[in-house]
Amino acid sequence: AFNILNFLGLKPVNVSSLHQKEDYYDQLINHFDPQDIRKFRQRYYVVDDFYNPKLQRVFLYICGEGECTGIRNQFTLQLAQRLEAKVVALEHRYYGVSQPFGEANLSLENLRYLTAEQALEDLASFLQFVKTTKEFNVNEKSRWITIGGSYPGALSAWFRYKYPHLTVGALGSSAVVNPIVDFTAFDEQIKLSARKSGQWCFDAIKELNSRVESTLFNDSKGAKALREQFGAHGLTNTEFLWFFSDIFVELIQYGARRELCNALKDQSHDVRLEWLSKNYQRVIRPQDYGTYFLANETYDHERNGRQWMYQQLSLIHISEPTRQAEISYAVFCLKKKK
């Protein structure tokens, strides 16, 4: 099988052996009001293990919609090793410990500065901070490349477009720069990917979804048992169905298609459910799918569902006619009182 890392002559990096420096940068809460000088502590990481100061090469790895616990992306680190580059990473505002309002609640009022525009300004400000701080050993002639995947991939591309004078390039892997609200092609690709293991795998997934849907809406005791089995007590029937169908989506999308299909092959419905209930935690959490959880304004550095739902709404044109029901429901989730 073709491997891009081998093709580029890149060698694996032992992440645990790296000297990752963790520190904080005093970042503006609001970049678009010159009279607002409030700041918050934004976490960042630095890996200098491969850095050659004579070359002045820097990768800015963009963390996204979740806690950033260090620079662990193999592709980025292997590129840095090959090109003798420094790697820096900035935790996204409102995720992990980089909270503009500290441990105050995540009310809609407090979330108003959670936008892609503010995040891009964060990156620009941080980049200039690194360039002008002697301890980083980076000068004004340094050459920067931003790297990100999915939403951070979009930030990487947008950053290059908005600040062409600050970087020499950008890598956006699976960058969502062209939001498609009714993205049925994604679901079609999940079906095609499942069929790579055989039509039987797709059929097994379809049967599981159908039977679970029937149980949820026709058997109240069975529905309760399903929620208990998957640790999803706070979800409504509709929310559970959304969560359950996404288990297959996330496992397939993130490289566990063979494992999933092998676990379903020639097994009873109950055995399949048991396997899913023990393995879904690797890719998703029930609390990211329910009104009860999304309406919870309490800060927790490991939670990101409420922030990410809010941010998705800020990135979607709210008047999109084909998704009014979904958008209205999302707003309802964020506003509903506990």
Side-chain angles (χ1 to χ4, degrees), residues 33-45:
D33 182 354
Q35 294 183 328
D36 189 346
I37 60 172
R38 293 173 299 167
K39 294 185 176 183
F40 71 101
R41 286 164 55 81
Q42 190 166 21
R43 180 163 62 177
Y44 68 86
Y45 296 90

Side-chain angles (χ1 to χ4, degrees), residues 52-102:
N52 182 347
K54 293 181 180 179
L55 299 176
Q56 289 291 307
R57 295 168 178 169
V58 186
F59 290 139
L60 174 52
Y61 181 77
I62 303 174
C63 296
E65 66 278 18
E67 183 172 19
C68 186
T69 57
I71 304 166
R72 307 183 186 282
N73 182 266
Q74 273 290 324
F75 182 65
T76 302
L77 292 170
Q78 290 180 35
L79 278 178
Q81 180 177 242
R82 173 72 180 274
L83 300 174
E84 300 179 76
K86 179 192 295 284
V87 186
V88 295
L90 185 67
E91 186 170 61
H92 198 294
R93 58 170 54 209
Y94 286 93
Y95 296 100
V97 300
S98 298
Q99 301 294 323
F101 296 98

Side-chain angles (χ1 to χ4, degrees), residues 178-218:
N178 181 29
I180 303 173
V181 181
D182 246 349
F183 195 17
T184 56
F186 177 81
D187 300 318
E188 180 66 21
Q189 184 56 55
I190 293 297
K191 179 179 74 174
L192 295 174
S193 296
R195 282 178 171 169
K196 286 185 176 182
S197 289
Q199 180 65 32
W200 57 268
C201 183
F202 170 73
D203 291 340
I205 293 172
K206 186 176 180 181
E207 181 186 5
L208 273 164
N209 275 303
S210 296
R211 290 185 62 173
V212 165
E213 182 175 10
S214 178
T215 298
L216 289 170
F217 296 101
N218 298 294

